[in-house]
Amino acid sequence: MRFFFRLLIISSLCLITTSASAAGFELTPAAKRNPISDFELKDIDGKNVRLSEYRGQAVVVSFWATWCEPCKQELNFLSKYHKELRDKGFEVIAVATDAPETQAEVKSVARQKGWEFKVVLDTAGEVSALLNPRGATPYSMFLDRNGGLSYDHEGYTVGDEVHYKPLIESLLAESTSSESVASGGSLSFTNTFSLEARGDNGDAVVDDDYYLGINRLNIAGNSGSFSTWARIDAWKFWSRPQVVNAAGDNPYYRHLSLERLNFRYKGESTELTVGDYFLQLGRGIALAFRKGDEVSAETALRGGKVSYSVEAFKAGAFGGQVSNSNMDPISYKNLPELEDVFGGAFAEFSGIEGISLGAYGYHRLYDQPLLPGGKDWAQTAGAYIDLPGLTDWMTLYTEVDLQRRNQADAFQNGLAVMAAGTLAMGATSLLVEGVY
């Protein structure tokens, strides 16, 4: 018998600061609001955008992606309200969550839609991990003039936009006062539970006909310059498939683990991260550990990262062990831990208007060498030049990577080159991208 059934339950609980989504399109009382964690990302013109710099304005932070049609529909309405109300202190920060293969399209979409608000790139998904742990798109957070979270909304249905403008106008009518924001930190919980039943698909392979329950608990908190997030995963099979892998184990078994844990300090010029974190170098052709949604197999680094910024220069170092998801999102088999070790550094200079220059390098030590007892490793160095704001109608990006690898006592050298450019012609944009 062939069948598939899935029940999904999503619940949220916020302590100290509260979300208004459960109460409909209503603002959280001012005394119960708390600022969300501060972040800094580059916009589509290569300029740094820091959330805390918008204190005194009513802000909507909206997570979206170029492939998400409901996201763009919602942002079109927010764009309309932005043009009408920005002189009164209303701003929109659209956080693009695109993967490396579509990041070059973000500026083209924004220009084609005529969006005049801030569009920033969350290239590795670090901001999403803290503020949008489920990876939902669209997901919008309405902040008051003090930066306090007054309302949040996941998804978009035609008609939602009718309620947005009254919310924004209510926030604009409020005064700026430090006393109207709850003191102390905030702590939020988001839990997702799914129950699935899978029947025999008739392929003569005994890997179906079972029941599965999956629970993911996301925890996020912040206090001043400190923030933290964590994820606890648990799943259980009933009538699990009776199969074995190459190691002689059944890959379908129950699981409970602290899958992710992150602590971050973000000061004016210094940022320190300890635990699980996401990292992308350049456009990701050399290294990309990105935050995924709840149905993707994400990979993170478990270790530490530190960076220091002064004016137009930023430099940092990172290190850690690979930490992959423990379940294959397609087959639901448990996955073994990858334990490759990485260590490296990066730097970027953006002191020239419309131009960013960057360089990076890292060393990788493979956990599983090709030959028993061997020590396989790889070294990668790269550089890029990004011209996102050179003109209003053209962008250029070029990245070059060099790699030297030792596997099974054999040395190999590699070269990778990426180039991307966009040309805007009125309402039409042309994107050309290539990788060698």
Side-chain angles (χ1 to χ4, degrees), residues 79-259:
S79 174
K80 176 184 176 182
Y81 301 148
H82 176 253
K83 292 175 182 178
E84 180 181 344
L85 300 172
R86 60 185 169 187
D87 290 339
K88 297 181 180 180
F90 175 55
E91 187 57 72
V92 177
I93 301 178
V95 182
T97 61
D98 285 71
E101 54 267 24
T102 57
Q103 286 172 7
E105 302 174 22
V106 174
K107 184 169 184 175
S108 296
V109 171
R111 290 290 183 262
Q112 184 183 41
K113 296 293 185 180
W115 298 339
E116 297 177 7
F117 47 70
K118 296 296 182 181
V119 179
V120 297
L121 302 170
D122 189 15
T123 54
E126 290 185 285
V127 174
S128 296
L130 183 62
L131 301 180
N132 182 20
R134 293 190 61 250
T137 50
Y139 174 63
S140 297
M141 311 175 77
F142 290 66
L143 310 180
D144 62 22
R145 292 183 183 272
N146 304 293
L149 177 60
S150 59
Y151 174 74
D152 66 343
H153 189 81
E154 181 176 317
Y156 171 76
T157 302
V158 176
D160 288 349
E161 71 281 354
V162 177
H163 304 278
Y164 291 171
K165 189 175 181 181
L167 293 177
I168 297 167
E169 290 177 331
S170 295
L171 292 174
L172 291 173
E174 297 177 354
S175 60
T176 303
S177 172
S178 59
E179 296 180 356
S180 65
V181 180
S183 60
S186 66
L187 189 63
S188 64
F189 299 83
T190 303
N191 194 80
T192 305
F193 174 77
S194 64
L195 179 63
E196 301 188 11
R198 290 180 175 261
D200 189 348
N201 60 14
D203 62 358
V205 179
V206 189
D207 61 353
D208 40 33
D209 235 352
Y210 61 84
Y211 303 90
L212 170 64
I214 304 175
N215 195 85
R216 290 188 171 93
L217 174 62
N218 290 286
I219 306 170
N222 71 84
S223 179
S225 300
F226 297 90
S227 60
T228 183
W229 56 266
R231 194 180 85 213
I232 301 174
D233 288 356
W235 56 80
K236 178 178 174 57
F237 290 90
W238 292 271
S239 302
R240 65 173 181 165
Q242 299 302 308
V243 298
V244 294
N245 54 26
D249 302 319
N250 188 330
Y252 298 94
Y253 57 85
R254 62 184 180 182
H255 178 89
L256 173 63
S257 71
L258 179 61
E259 190 75 11

